[in-house]
Amino acid sequence: PGVFEEQYSLASLAPVLSEKLGLPVSFLSSWPQQKTYLAPATVALAENTRFLVGELDNDLSLAQKMLEGVSVVVMEAFACSHRKHASTVGITSLASRIILGPEHSSEIDAIEKFMRYRERCLAVVGGKKIATKLSLLEQLIAKMDVLCLGGGIGNTILHSQGYNLGTSFIEYSQLRSAAALCELATANQVDLVLPEDVVVCENLQDAASVRTVRIEDIAPHEKVVDIGPSTVARFKSKLIHAQSVYWNGPLGVYEYEHGLAGCAAWASAMSQVQAYSLVGGGDTLSVLHALGIKRFSHVSTGGGAFLHYLAHGTSPVLSLLQTEEERQQCVEQRS
């Protein structure tokens, strides 16, 4: 942020857009600091706004520069809608006319549809840290009938309950939060499903040390890299009666082959159910891309934005657009 890095430049996308659109696409390397004049009916691509000083601080003077000569803004960036940046909240607060783009709208529609299910709701949450998903987990406990946990989050929950997980990743600063989540699940009568067996190894590069063990049998020198087959079977058994199912976060260290099997088995099972299936999270999308599995009701491109909307029912960008009454009119007219 604030510094140009060639590997994150959008310059290479200009020829791709040009090919897809069948039109020349100009690349604006100095936008919006340099005045740009475009002929009618032409297309231009601006450089990555994260390079701009003031972008992450929601500098309104920067946002105003972005809006010079702009008559309408189509806010398509759902994946960034939770970030209070100049290119999101800044231009939303200053633009004379702004509308939601079709992909942004479809993301909201999908989450709203998922939230309308009130019975037999199942969620599976993985990923590394509880801290980044605490509000999501609390919201899910309030709304779900079954909550299955894996990944680093599952490790931390299990350790808070007294299990020794060897050298596995554990978020020690969140052990109280982990214990509180278990208590909250009990109070809300949520069926909390934790790993009962796991795949472990001595180090991630040594495939020869990989083995599957019960939670209570993890050796002091071993680390958890995936959920085990019995745990996958328990997760899958909860799908039978589900009306809606949500998945966010890898269930293992998916970058390694011996940490991907749990995700593969769960993704395959989830993609075949009749229930409304919703998948979100950047790392989850990376897993699905690696596996080549696509058969879900909706796959969200937004990680943090998805979690924010699910937890709060809105986003900083969306809440700025209109009053509640006007927002509802916007929802009805989006198509």
Side-chain angles (χ1 to χ4, degrees), residues 120-192:
R120 292 183 284 164
C121 302
L122 165 66
V124 173
V125 179
K128 194 170 185 179
K129 296 184 177 182
I130 285 180
T132 57
K133 296 183 178 178
L134 187 57
S135 61
L136 168 68
L137 291 166
E138 291 171 345
Q139 288 291 323
L140 290 175
I141 287 174
K143 298 171 183 176
M144 297 294 106
D145 299 297
V146 183
L147 177 59
C148 303
L149 299 176
I153 290 176
N155 291 351
T156 301
I157 295 283
L158 286 168
H159 191 69
S160 75
Q161 295 189 342
Y163 287 95
N164 186 342
L165 301 185
T167 61
S168 305
F169 173 84
I170 295 170
E171 204 171 2
Y172 291 100
S173 63
Q174 297 296 319
L175 290 178
R176 288 186 179 180
S177 295
L181 283 172
C182 293
E183 294 173 2
L184 186 62
T186 300
N188 283 269
Q189 298 182 315
V190 172
D191 182 7
L192 185 63

Side-chain angles (χ1 to χ4, degrees), residues 34-307:
Q34 183 177 351
K35 187 69 175 179
T36 303
Y37 298 93
L38 297 173
T42 58
V43 179
L45 171 67
E47 180 58 283
N48 191 340
T49 59
R50 288 177 67 85
F51 296 152
L52 300 174
V53 174
E55 160 69 347
L56 273 64
D57 300 323
N58 189 20
D59 185 332
L60 294 183
S61 63
L62 174 61
Q64 192 62 61
K65 282 183 177 292
M66 294 177 179
L67 292 170
E68 288 180 5
V70 174
S71 56
V72 59
V73 173
V74 181
M75 181 54 70
E76 185 69 300
F78 171 77
C80 302
S81 62
H82 64 305
R83 297 174 179 162
K84 296 180 180 179
H85 293 175
S87 64
T88 55
V89 168
I91 63 174
T92 301
S93 64
L94 296 176
S96 57
R97 185 180 178 209
I98 184 166
I99 60 175
L100 292 182
E103 291 299 322
H104 198 146
S105 297
S106 69
E107 292 275 16
I108 295 169
D109 291 342
I111 303 172
E112 291 283 357
K113 183 174 181 179
F114 175 77
M115 293 171 68
R116 284 197 290 271
Y117 287 93
R118 302 298 183 187
E119 297 179 351
R120 292 183 284 164
C121 302
L122 165 66
V124 173
V125 179
K128 194 170 185 179
K129 296 184 177 182
I130 285 180
T132 57
K133 296 183 178 178
L134 187 57
S135 61
L136 168 68
L137 291 166
E138 291 171 345
Q139 288 291 323
L140 290 175
I141 287 174
K143 298 171 183 176
M144 297 294 106
D145 299 297
V146 183
L147 177 59
C148 303
L149 299 176
I153 290 176
N155 291 351
T156 301
I157 295 283
L158 286 168
H159 191 69
S160 75
Q161 295 189 342
Y163 287 95
N164 186 342
L165 301 185
T167 61
S168 305
F169 173 84
I170 295 170
E171 204 171 2
Y172 291 100
S173 63
Q174 297 296 319
L175 290 178
R176 288 186 179 180
S177 295
L181 283 172
C182 293
E183 294 173 2
L184 186 62
T186 300
N188 283 269
Q189 298 182 315
V190 172
D191 182 7
L192 185 63
V193 183
L194 299 173
E196 59 184 35
D197 68 331
V198 290
V199 178
V200 298
C201 65
E202 294 181 19
N203 65 73
L204 290 169
Q205 288 74 34
D206 182 13
S209 66
V210 175
R211 68 187 188 113
T212 300
V213 298
R214 301 284 300 178
I215 289 295
E216 57 269 23
D217 296 328
I218 300 172
H221 62 284
E222 293 178 318
K223 63 180 64 183
V224 175
V225 295
D226 201 0
I227 58 175
S230 295
T231 300
V232 172
R234 284 194 68 200
F235 285 13
K236 290 166 66 174
S237 71
K238 304 299 179 179
L239 277 172
I240 298 174
H241 302 294
Q243 285 189 337
S244 65
V245 55
Y246 168 63
W247 176 27
N248 181 290
L251 302 173
V253 187
Y254 69 94
E255 296 90 344
Y256 295 84
E257 186 176 351
H258 41 278
L260 188 59
C263 281
W266 170 250
S268 177
M270 183 176 169
S271 68
Q272 298 176 47
V273 298
Q274 297 299 311
Y276 184 78
S277 54
L278 184 59
V279 178
D283 288 338
T284 318
L285 301 191
S286 297
V287 170
L288 294 180
H289 180 72
L291 296 173
I293 298 176
K294 301 178 180 179
R295 301 180 299 274
F296 303 96
S297 302
H298 183 77
V299 177
S300 176
T301 58
F306 183 93
L307 303 183

